[in-house]
Amino acid sequence: LVPSFQTAYDFSPVKKHIKAVLLSNPSNPLGRCYPRSVLTDCLEFCQERGLHLICDELYALTDFGRTNKGEEFVSVLSLTEPFMPEGEIKVDQNRVHVIWSASRLLGVSGLRVAC
């Protein structure tokens, strides 16, 4: 995944227009999760280039566990301080964003709740 990002970034005619990397974890419609190592590589890629990482984790709670070909769900937020494992790079938490919504996940798109 990251080599593809690197290629797209390198061949971009105007790098200053690239502001963020978008991921869907788990993916839709297959529900495959990115391994921890891939998420860490994405964080490093974004950190080195000053990019935001926006991770769509809408279907995180629908993870049914590890299958024979799948990976267990890991939230990108669990890889940022203070939760990051020892030895990982430090990332700017202001550049890591997660999208989550109970209305889409639970199929209650008409429900509006405010606090």
Side-chain angles (χ1 to χ4, degrees), residues 37-76:
S37 61
V38 171
L39 293 173
T40 303
D41 291 345
C42 289
L43 285 167
E44 289 176 4
F45 176 83
C46 291
Q47 181 69 26
E48 291 168 358
R49 288 155 190 81
L51 302 174
H52 291 263
L53 178 63
I54 303 169
C55 195
D56 176 346
E57 295 183 357
L58 281 172
Y59 298 105
L61 295 180
T62 60
D63 176 39
F64 297 112
R66 186 177 294 204
T67 62
N68 58 351
K69 293 183 180 180
E71 291 287 332
E72 191 173 276
F73 174 76
V74 176
S75 175
V76 74

Side-chain angles (χ1 to χ4, degrees), residues 1-3 7-8 13-14 17 22 24-25 29 35-36 46 50 62-63 71 82 85-86 90 98 104 110 112:
L1 182 65
V2 174
T7 302
V14 187
H17 288 176
L22 289 152
S24 182
N25 183 35
R36 177 182 301 270
C46 291
T62 60
D63 176 39
E71 291 287 332
E86 194 65 34
K90 293 186 179 185
V98 171
R104 235 173 106 195
R112 300 290 181 248

Side-chain angles (χ1 to χ4, degrees), residues 3-25:
S4 298
F5 290 160
Q6 183 64 50
T7 302
Y9 188 81
D10 289 344
F11 286 103
S12 172
V14 187
K15 289 184 180 65
K16 68 179 182 177
H17 288 176
I18 301 173
K19 304 293 183 198
V21 171
L22 289 152
L23 290 178
S24 182
N25 183 35

